[in-house]
Amino acid sequence: MKKIHILFLLLLAFWLQSCEFGKDESIAPGDGSTGIAGSYARFMIVGDRMYVVDRERIKTFSLDDPADPSLLDEKNIGSNIETIFNLGDKLFIGAGSGLYIFSIDGTGIPHEGGEFLYSEFGFGFDPCDPVVANETYAYVTLNSTNRVQRCRVTVEEQVNLLNIFDITDIFNPSLVAQYDMHNPKGVGLDGNLLFLCEDTQGLKVFDVSDPQNIKMLKHFQGFTAFDVIPLGGLLLVVGPENVYQYDYTDLDNMALISILPLGT
């Protein structure tokens, strides 16, 4: 019952998300000191502050009176803001236009740090980009399909990448590695383990101790995976129909321990 209770507390963190998994303005329960969320989260609660992203902005609310949150600050960021991730006093914003890093000051107000704009890749369209990070690296998945007309023929332009950024200088994030993927969605990080959802190809587990030579350790197939939350040995993976729980306390024997149907 305890595991099922945890799942219900976290379901909204997965389901109220943007991009291909639901193109609305919904927001998801936060990560940080008072909450946990998947990499598609649209808001984060850190202490007595709540950070909410919409398509262009980040808004900071005071939760001094939780029954009546008050707006403290509002900043424009870029275009097609998708996700927010918290690590200590840093906020990582994933957007179709790029990766943005903010630092939180003593009053809880975020201030602009560095950015990496995807215009450098020359996509010509905005991908979706869940992001997770540790103190040294940020891991971002880019996925999108763009249909264009060329000589009266519809052509699909696709981007399916895992990008790894060095963020030791938050004012100057640099791309250190890039890997082709099938259709990467949500990501989760636990130490040197990166959990990556690959849509219809299921879940992949990577050793990322060497960012320039990551190694796939596990690949669980036969289901569709959109987002993931690692909880210190318990992994929650969400697909369109089910939430899957994996025990990875012993990575060599990582195994599925339960399936929770959604909507029934």
Side-chain angles (χ1 to χ4, degrees), residues 28-230:
D31 186 30
S33 61
T34 56
I36 298 172
S39 57
Y40 275 101
R42 298 294 302 257
F43 77 70
M44 291 287 158
I45 295 175
V46 183
D48 58 0
R49 297 291 184 262
M50 179 170 64
Y51 305 96
V52 181
V53 293
D54 61 20
R55 301 298 286 178
E56 297 179 346
R57 297 163 295 181
I58 180 171
K59 299 178 181 180
T60 303
F61 292 86
S62 169
L63 298 180
D64 290 339
D65 181 359
D68 185 24
S70 58
L71 180 65
L72 298 179
D73 185 67
E74 184 175 332
K75 288 182 172 67
N76 289 325
I77 302 176
S79 62
N80 292 331
I81 304 302
E82 297 288 353
T83 64
I84 182 171
F85 178 83
N86 167 240
L87 180 70
D89 64 349
K90 304 293 188 298
L91 295 173
F92 297 83
I93 311 298
S97 54
L99 169 66
Y100 302 86
I101 305 174
F102 284 75
S103 59
I104 304 171
D105 68 18
T107 67
I109 302 299
H111 296 277
E112 294 181 16
E115 62 182 36
F116 187 97
L117 301 180
Y118 299 146
S119 57
E120 296 188 26
F121 295 145
F123 292 144
F125 57 96
D126 286 348
C128 299
D129 57 341
V131 54
V132 294
N134 56 31
E135 295 293 344
T136 308
Y137 298 104
Y139 303 84
V140 182
T141 60
L142 301 182
N143 70 86
S144 188
T145 298
N146 186 45
R147 293 175 175 85
V148 296
Q149 289 291 125
R150 291 179 180 170
C151 299
R152 300 182 181 179
V153 176
T154 300
V155 178
E156 287 190 350
E157 300 175 331
Q158 293 186 330
V159 53
N160 294 294
L161 298 170
L162 168 65
N163 287 329
I164 303 178
F165 295 91
D166 185 327
I167 56 169
T168 50
D169 178 359
I170 68 163
F171 293 99
N172 186 33
S174 59
L175 182 68
V176 296
Q178 187 175 80
Y179 298 91
D180 291 326
M181 294 291 161
H182 166 67
N183 190 7
K185 303 292 187 180
V187 283
L189 188 64
D190 185 351
N192 289 321
L193 295 178
L194 184 75
F195 302 94
L196 188 147
C197 295
E198 273 275 51
D199 197 51
T200 57
Q201 289 197 8
L203 172 73
K204 293 179 178 178
V205 184
F206 293 92
D207 177 351
V208 293
S209 53
D210 180 356
Q212 296 185 347
N213 185 30
I214 67 173
K215 299 177 181 178
M216 188 168 70
L217 304 177
K218 301 285 184 179
H219 187 187
F220 298 93
Q221 303 184 66
F223 67 102
T224 299
F226 284 120
D227 207 357
V228 61
I229 295 178

Side-chain angles (χ1 to χ4, degrees), residues 7-22:
L7 286 173
F8 278 110
L9 289 177
L10 297 173
L11 279 181
L12 290 179
F14 286 104
W15 279 92
L16 300 180
Q17 54 186 251
S18 62
C19 209
E20 293 179 18
F21 201 57

